[in-house]
């Protein structure tokens, strides 16, 4: 690792800020983040506090509680006919007009990490919420960088003297190069700066008085070709995936994704086997890296190392935050490699189209907006059995289950309780799980 002094004075980049945001979500310590970026901990702390943003409340009734609630004795704020204490008002309207209202402040915001990123109590918290967002922080930095350089670095009397020297000669048809060559001792700036002064219209003469400049079109800026490579994607990009498959064309590919119910509730972790169109789904309590690891560890323990390696040699997934810990997916608790994980390009779900398309079958049974709260793994497995027993035109009229019996390890179907549903009994409606 480089000495921190080598980075002293260097500004944080967008990639650095993304690393800070990821580290806060994973509950890294201040020192760990500073060491990761080779910066002083004070720099990281100031960056977070300077650029944290307050989240918007979801509704006008979602008001932050008052920290003086316990000792408050206020009455009749909203109506003289009301005889209840204002703190017991069910509408919370009294908080809007109470002169002594003081919103609850979370102690976490007063010390590191200073933000709610990664907080386990975020869903039930009634305090004001503040977050660190890399893109917002970088936009603030760019605005500050721009505003700090606005204006001109010259005193008013010097500008007046410069204008008296430059403008009359320009109006005579002299070029700035000619003027600068003959009067450079009297001009307190460079020739390039003179052109900038003309662009800013701070001299009596204007750009239109420069005979050659008005003929030139503004130069086009080349688009920024640099792409931020996130740590979890190193060696696991979609290009790396294509290169690996080209070298190992017989390798089976499994696509992985998640299906949401209502926000903040249970989710489904889904797998799609490209060679037979079989889909698996496993219920998770929440959409986190820990839950993904727990689900994959369970599958690994159920199938055994050999069957898991043969069935899941390569996993292709998206860039969701729940999948950003590739080591926990690729390796078991003993450090043995059990699969390889690759990631699609950002905003490129078309690179794993099969599982995206196959999620339609899940939505037949579990429509969007429906909560997964009452689901159990047994019900999810039942739904998958019906889905995998439906004949597909893309499979020439056969079912994913029958192809899986031919192409996958037989013990996988048995150990995961996958059975074929008779053709006339296949049910793909919400009533199946009632």
């Amino acid at each position: 690792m480089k000495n921190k002094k080598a980075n002293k004075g260097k500004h944080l980049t967008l990639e650095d800020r993304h690393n800070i945001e990821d580290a806060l979500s994973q509950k890294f310590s201040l020192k760990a983040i500073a060491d990761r970026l080779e910066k002083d901990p004070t720099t990281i702390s100031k960056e977070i506090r300077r650029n944290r943003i307050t989240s918007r409340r979801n509704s006008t009734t979602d008001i932050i509680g008052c920290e003086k609630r316990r000792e408050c004795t206020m009455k009749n704020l909203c109506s003289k006919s009301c005889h209840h204490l204002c703190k017991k008002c069910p509408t919370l309207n009294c908080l809007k007009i109470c002169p002594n209202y003081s919103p609850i402040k979370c102690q976490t915001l007063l010390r590191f990490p200073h933000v709610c990123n990664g907080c386990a109590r975020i869903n039930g918290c009634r305090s004001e919420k503040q977050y660190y967002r890399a893109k917002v922080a970088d936009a603030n930095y760019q605005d500050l960088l721009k505003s700090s350089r606005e204006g001109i670095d010259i005193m008013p009397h010097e500008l007046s003297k410069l204008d008296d020297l430059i403008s009359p000669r320009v109006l005579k048809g002299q070029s700035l190069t000619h003027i600068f060559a003959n009067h450079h001792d009297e001009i307190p700036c460079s020739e390039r700066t003179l052109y900038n002064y003309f662009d800013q219209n701070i001299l009596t003469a204007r750009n239109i008085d420069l005979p050659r400049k008005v003929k030139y079109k503004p130069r086009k800026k080349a688009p920024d070709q640099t792409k931020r490579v996130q740590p979890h994607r190193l060696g696991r990009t979609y290009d790396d995936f294509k290169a690996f498959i080209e070298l190992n064309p017989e390798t089976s590919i499994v696509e992985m994704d998640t299906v949401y119910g209502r926000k903040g509730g249970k989710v489904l972790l889904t797998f799609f086997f490209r060679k037979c169109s079989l889909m698996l789904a496993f219920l998770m309590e929440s959409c986190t890296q820990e839950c993904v690891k727990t689900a994959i560890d369970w599958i690994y323990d159920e199938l055994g190392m050999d069957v898991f390696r043969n069935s899941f040699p390569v996993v292709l997934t998206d860039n969701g935050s729940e999948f950003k810990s590739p080591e926990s997916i690729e390796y078991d608790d003993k450090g043995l490699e059990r699969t390889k994980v690759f990631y699609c390009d950002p905003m490129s779900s078309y690179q794993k189209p099969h599982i995206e398309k196959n999620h339609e079958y899940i939505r037949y049974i579990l429509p969007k907006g429906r909560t997964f709260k009452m689901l159990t793994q047994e019900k999810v497995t039942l739904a998958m059995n019906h889905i995998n027993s439906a004949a597909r035109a893309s499979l020439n009229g056969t079912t994913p289950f029958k192809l899986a019996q031919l192409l996958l390890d037989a013990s996988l179907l048995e150990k995961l309780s996958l059975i074929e549903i008779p053709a006339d009994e296949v049910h793909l409606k919400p009533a199946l799980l009632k």
Side-chain angles (χ1 to χ4, degrees):
M1 181 180 291
K2 298 179 181 178
N3 193 315
K4 290 181 182 178
K5 291 184 179 179
N7 278 338
K8 187 175 181 181
K10 292 188 177 180
H11 293 201
L12 292 171
T13 64
L14 178 58
E15 182 177 354
D16 291 335
R17 292 183 169 91
H18 275 289
N19 285 331
I20 292 175
E21 183 179 351
D22 292 340
L24 289 173
S25 299
Q26 298 177 39
K27 301 181 181 180
F28 279 34
S29 66
L30 178 60
K31 186 177 185 305
I33 300 175
D35 291 342
R36 187 177 184 181
L37 299 181
E38 301 173 7
K39 298 286 185 181
D40 190 272
T42 305
T43 301
I44 305 301
S45 179
K46 288 180 179 179
E47 165 68 16
I48 296 171
R49 285 181 284 126
R50 184 190 304 119
N51 294 299
R52 56 186 176 178
I53 56 175
T54 303
S55 67
R56 295 181 179 179
R57 313 303 290 180
N58 291 331
S59 66
T60 56
T61 60
D62 192 8
I63 301 175
I64 301 172
C66 180
E67 63 180 3
K68 300 178 182 178
R69 175 181 174 84
R70 293 184 180 275
E71 63 271 15
C72 179
T73 57
M74 296 289 290
K75 290 184 178 180
N76 305 327
L77 280 177
C78 59
S79 173
K80 293 184 178 180
S81 61
C82 178
H83 302 293
H84 296 287
L85 291 173
C86 293
K87 66 181 180 180
K88 296 183 178 180
C89 179
T91 63
L92 298 179
N93 288 328
C94 296
L95 292 180
K96 300 178 182 178
I97 57 177
C98 180
N100 299 324
Y101 170 64
S102 178
I104 298 174
K105 296 179 181 178
C106 178
Q107 295 301 309
T108 302
L109 303 180
L110 304 179
R111 59 183 184 273
F112 184 81
H114 305 296
V115 288
C116 302
N117 298 52
C119 181
R121 300 174 297 171
I122 193 67
N123 290 332
C125 180
R126 295 282 296 173
S127 302
E128 182 180 71
K129 298 178 180 65
Q130 293 186 327
Y131 298 92
Y132 179 84
R133 297 289 183 247
K135 290 184 178 180
V136 175
D138 195 67
N140 293 339
Y141 160 74
Q142 296 294 343
D143 289 342
L144 178 61
L145 195 65
K146 181 180 178 181
S147 61
S148 64
R149 296 177 178 178
E150 288 179 346
I152 57 175
D153 187 19
I154 188 172
M155 299 300 290
H157 67 276
E158 293 178 327
L159 178 61
S160 177
K161 184 178 178 180
L162 181 65
D163 190 22
D164 292 339
L165 174 66
I166 300 295
S167 294
R169 289 169 173 79
V170 169
L171 295 174
K172 289 180 181 179
Q174 296 180 18
S175 67
L176 291 184
T177 301
H178 175 82
I179 298 172
F180 192 81
N182 292 281
H183 299 274
H184 62 275
D185 293 336
E186 305 171 60
I187 299 176
C189 60
S190 66
E191 184 179 349
R192 176 65 262 174
T193 301
L194 287 178
Y195 279 102
N196 291 337
Y197 289 168
F198 272 82
D199 289 337
Q200 297 173 40
N201 295 327
I202 62 176
L203 300 176
T204 302
R206 295 289 188 263
N207 273 329
I208 198 170
D209 298 315
L210 299 174
R212 295 186 65 186
K213 187 169 184 180
V214 293
K215 297 179 181 178
Y216 298 141
K217 293 182 179 179
R219 293 184 180 180
K220 295 181 179 179
K221 293 184 178 180
D224 185 9
Q225 299 296 330
T226 58
K227 292 184 179 180
R228 184 179 71 90
V229 181
Q230 297 182 354
H232 72 279
R233 289 174 52 83
L234 292 174
R236 300 183 180 93
T237 64
Y238 192 69
D239 290 335
D240 296 324
F241 165 74
K242 292 191 292 184
F244 180 85
I245 296 302
E246 187 174 350
L247 294 175
N248 304 274
E250 300 300 322
T251 303
S252 298
I253 301 169
V254 180
E255 298 178 6
M256 179 171 65
D257 205 351
T258 49
V259 177
Y260 288 79
R262 287 185 183 171
K263 187 176 181 180
K266 295 181 179 180
V267 298
L268 297 180
L269 177 66
T270 58
F271 296 91
F272 182 88
F273 296 83
R274 280 189 178 182
K275 64 181 180 181
C276 63
S277 295
L278 185 79
M279 185 165 65
L280 307 178
F282 301 93
L283 191 64
M284 301 193 301
E285 290 299 319
S286 60
C287 195
T288 62
Q289 296 175 9
E290 293 79 7
C291 288
V292 170
K293 181 183 184 304
T294 300
I296 293 177
D297 286 345
W298 181 86
I299 301 171
Y300 183 73
D301 293 338
E302 287 292 315
L303 299 182
M305 181 176 65
D306 293 335
V307 176
F308 187 92
R309 282 179 172 178
N310 292 333
S311 303
F312 297 83
V314 170
V315 174
L316 178 65
T317 186
D318 56 32
N319 294 274
S321 60
E322 68 272 24
F323 301 131
K324 287 187 176 181
S325 179
E327 292 81 6
S328 65
I329 300 174
E330 292 181 332
Y331 297 92
D332 62 16
D333 293 335
K334 297 179 180 179
L336 300 176
E337 187 179 48
R338 56 189 177 188
T339 186
K340 289 185 179 296
V341 176
F342 294 96
Y343 295 90
C344 299
D345 294 330
M347 309 300 292
S348 302
S349 59
Y350 60 85
Q351 292 174 348
K352 54 177 182 63
H354 308 87
I355 194 168
E356 298 286 350
K357 178 67 175 177
N358 222 54
H359 281 170
E360 289 184 358
Y361 288 95
I362 294 180
R363 290 306 184 187
Y364 293 157
I365 302 173
L366 298 168
K368 283 187 177 181
R370 176 174 174 175
T371 180
F372 292 171
K373 181 179 180 180
M374 304 306 295
L375 284 182
T376 62
Q377 183 57 47
E378 289 74 18
K379 290 184 177 181
V380 173
T381 302
L382 173 63
M384 290 302 105
N385 286 336
H386 281 262
I387 290 172
N388 291 322
S389 299
R392 314 286 169 84
S394 60
L395 303 179
N396 292 324
T398 191
T399 67
F401 188 89
K402 289 180 179 178
L403 280 181
Q405 288 178 314
L406 298 175
L407 301 176
L408 297 180
D409 193 299
S411 63
L412 180 144
L413 302 176
E414 179 182 352
K415 292 179 179 179
L416 298 182
S417 303
L418 299 178
I419 59 174
E420 186 173 18
I421 305 298
D424 291 339
E425 297 180 16
V426 172
H427 195 141
L428 299 177
K429 291 290 184 179
L432 172 66
L433 301 183
K434 289 184 179 180

